[in-house]
Amino acid sequence: MDQPNIEIVEVSPRDGLQNEATPFSTEEKVALIEGCYGAGLHRIEVASFVNPSRVPQMADAEAVLARLSPAIFEVAIGLVLNERGLDRALATPLKEINYVVVVTETFSQKNQGSSVEDNLAMAANVTRRAKEAGLRVSLTVSAAFGCPYEGEVTPQQLYAIVDQVADMEPFEIAIADTIGVAVPRDVHERIQGVREIIGSRPIQLRCHFHNTRNTGLANAMAAVEEGVTVLDASLGGIGGCPFAPNATGNIPTEDLAYMLSRSGYTLGVDFARLFETVDLLSHKLPQPVPGLLTRAGMFPPIG
């Protein structure tokens, strides 16, 4: 029996670069985004509209967008963390935004400078305004499995936030293991619980895993086994959160794509072009990218 299509949301131009000390020029970011698009990755986080003093790598968001091919705006996503960020996004050709809600109080203050309650109120305002402007809105629930400051996050803590987020009626809710603490058992349990909360509402689920403790790909497969068909990943496995200590990279796009394609899932990814784009990162960064597929090569080999 054919497996369903899996959609990869490529986050290297945003979540990937934001945690890298090596500065990337506007032109290099554009080349990365265009390379991702050319490799068949047709949902891409292209920028975040955040305070440049806090996340310097994202300071040129508007300049990057101004140089992108028009077709990319059909698949591009911009991250916003407040209404100021939304105002900036609305002044661009973007058609989709993502907003982040954090489960725990301490991380919410570190990440967005507000309490969970205030952040939920802001999320509701941003979602309403964005939808009124004709944008698609996805909402990410961050620290869904554990917090770098408060430790364990219970399923009940997660579900309480998801319940409020679902009432905002985004088209998609992303469940994020921001610091890479989850194991497959956690993923199975929490995805089942989140689905019960969403119920019959037309909200699709997406998952975002970090590979901090080398469980990211296993967690991604667990999510797929639970029927999740949208997964975040980052070329080369680069990235992390600048406000979460020891939050290392996302799961590598190429490794995820290999695992899923060998398992019978359809992704629409051009591996040869994907490798070329990973190569751009490899030559720019001072250390090898964490992803393994470009080191070992495809099996069977391409060509």
Side-chain angles (χ1 to χ4, degrees):
M1 184 176 67
D2 291 338
Q3 303 284 25
N5 291 0
I6 301 293
E7 181 177 61
I8 294 178
V9 178
E10 178 56 45
V11 302
S12 61
R14 197 281 300 176
D15 198 17
L17 294 187
Q18 72 175 7
N19 213 41
E20 295 294 335
T22 301
F24 279 67
S25 69
T26 299
E27 291 72 22
E28 287 167 333
K29 293 173 188 175
V30 170
L32 174 60
I33 295 165
E34 299 276 0
C36 292
Y37 183 75
L41 298 169
H42 288 170
R43 264 180 92 195
I44 308 169
E45 276 196 341
V46 296
S48 61
F49 299 95
V50 293
N51 188 332
S53 67
R54 301 193 75 201
V55 190
Q57 196 80 266
M58 295 291 107
D60 60 344
E62 284 86 354
V64 169
L65 294 178
R67 290 165 171 79
L68 292 177
S69 302
I72 289 180
F73 289 102
E74 298 298 321
V75 304
I77 306 168
L79 177 75
V80 304
L81 297 182
N82 51 43
E83 293 201 68
R84 292 189 302 277
L86 176 62
D87 291 338
R88 291 173 62 192
L90 290 174
T92 75
L94 283 171
K95 298 181 179 181
E96 180 179 338
I97 63 160
N98 177 248
Y99 189 94
V100 175
V101 175
V102 183
V103 172
T104 61
E105 289 292 340
T106 308
F107 194 16
S108 184
Q109 290 286 355
K110 297 280 188 181
N111 195 61
Q112 279 152 281
S114 66
S115 68
V116 173
E117 182 180 1
D118 288 346
N119 196 16
L120 284 165
M122 180 72 75
N125 287 335
V126 166
T127 300
R128 175 186 54 79
R129 287 186 56 207
K131 289 199 290 187
E132 287 173 353
L135 273 63
R136 299 201 312 167
V137 181
S138 60
L139 292 171
T140 293
V141 181
S142 185
F145 296 85
C147 174
Y149 303 100
E150 297 181 20
E152 294 285 357
V153 168
T154 67
Q156 289 68 35
Q157 285 177 278
L158 169 63
Y159 301 155
I161 300 299
V162 170
D163 190 37
Q164 296 180 72
V165 166
D167 285 343
M168 300 173 199
E169 298 185 344
F171 87 93
E172 177 182 77
I173 294 175
I175 306 302
D177 183 16
T178 312
I179 58 170
V181 297
V183 296
R185 182 183 63 179
D186 302 324
V187 176
H188 285 291
E189 176 188 25
R190 297 187 191 212
I191 293 300
Q192 291 170 14
V194 167
R195 284 200 185 282
E196 289 182 11
I197 293 166
I198 291 174
S200 61
R201 285 175 284 201
I203 300 173
Q204 75 179 15
L205 272 183
R206 166 178 159 195
C207 284
H208 178 104
F209 297 112
H210 282 245
N211 206 35
T212 315
R213 292 163 179 84
N214 210 31
T215 58
L217 286 172
N219 290 334
M221 185 56 81
V224 169
E225 290 168 351
E226 287 297 332
V228 173
T229 58
V230 188
L231 295 167
D232 288 1
S234 175
L235 280 180
I238 66 168
C241 176
F243 309 113
N246 301 320
T248 52
N250 302 271
I251 54 176
T253 301
E254 62 276 17
D255 295 9
L256 175 66
Y258 174 81
M259 178 182 74
L260 292 174
S261 63
R262 287 277 292 180
S263 300
Y265 294 91
T266 301
L267 293 96
V269 169
D270 182 332
F271 279 98
R273 296 195 68 178
L274 203 62
F275 277 33
E276 291 173 4
T277 310
V278 175
D279 200 45
L280 295 177
L281 293 173
S282 299
H283 282 91
K284 176 70 176 181
L285 295 171
Q287 70 284 338
V289 297
L292 297 177
L293 186 66
T294 51
R295 302 185 209 180
M298 289 293 292
F299 183 84
I302 296 175

